[in-house]
Amino acid sequence: MAELYREHILDHYQHPRNYGTLERPDRTFEDSNPLCGDRIRIDLKLENDRIADIRFTGRGCAISQAAASILTEMVKGKTLEEVKQLGAQDLLEDLGVPISPARRKCALLSLKVLKAAAYGLNEWPT
């Protein structure tokens, strides 16, 4: 079963879903993990506070990029309030493979970026 999940991660890394940018997005946020160099940008198109379309771009390790791809599939069609309620465990469960503490920030970078976009932030609070 673990092999199936590893293949799932590789498939999302090699063939990312919802990759690219949106023309005139309603919300955009971008952030990076300075320790490893992963970078993710997420664009949202909203209709009645619901994610009508979502795109991401970025660079980094297979875990960060696959997680962003998987996350975009998870949230398309959800309301901003539903996105705000998502937790780290929700994404980690969808990844389906054990994530070491050292790789946890890689796996969760896209969730951080998505939540910032959902809240309409222009920069991450310090």
Side-chain angles (χ1 to χ4, degrees), residues 7-102:
E7 288 177 21
H8 178 67
I9 296 289
L10 281 175
D11 182 50
H12 273 274
Y13 176 65
Q14 293 169 343
H15 310 286
R17 281 49 150 200
N18 303 304
Y19 191 83
T21 58
L22 291 173
E23 195 171 307
R24 294 189 295 279
D26 295 306
R27 307 261 177 103
T28 297
F29 196 81
E30 183 173 349
D31 201 7
S32 65
N33 179 349
L35 297 176
C36 66
D38 292 340
R39 177 169 284 294
I40 300 284
R41 171 189 161 146
I42 291 181
D43 294 342
L44 301 177
K45 185 58 104 176
L46 305 173
E47 289 179 10
N48 300 319
D49 276 349
R50 189 171 295 277
I51 297 174
D53 204 359
I54 182 170
R55 295 283 184 270
F56 85 95
T57 56
R59 58 180 162 71
C61 69
I63 294 292
S64 74
Q65 300 304 295
S69 176
I70 290 167
L71 184 63
T72 63
E73 289 190 317
M74 283 175 60
V75 301
K76 193 180 261 188
K78 292 196 180 300
T79 66
L80 292 178
E81 196 54 43
E82 290 172 312
V83 167
K84 291 173 185 177
Q85 300 306 313
L86 282 175
Q89 199 56 40
D90 297 313
L91 179 55
L92 293 173
E93 284 176 11
D94 266 27
L95 284 173
V97 295
I99 303 295
S100 70

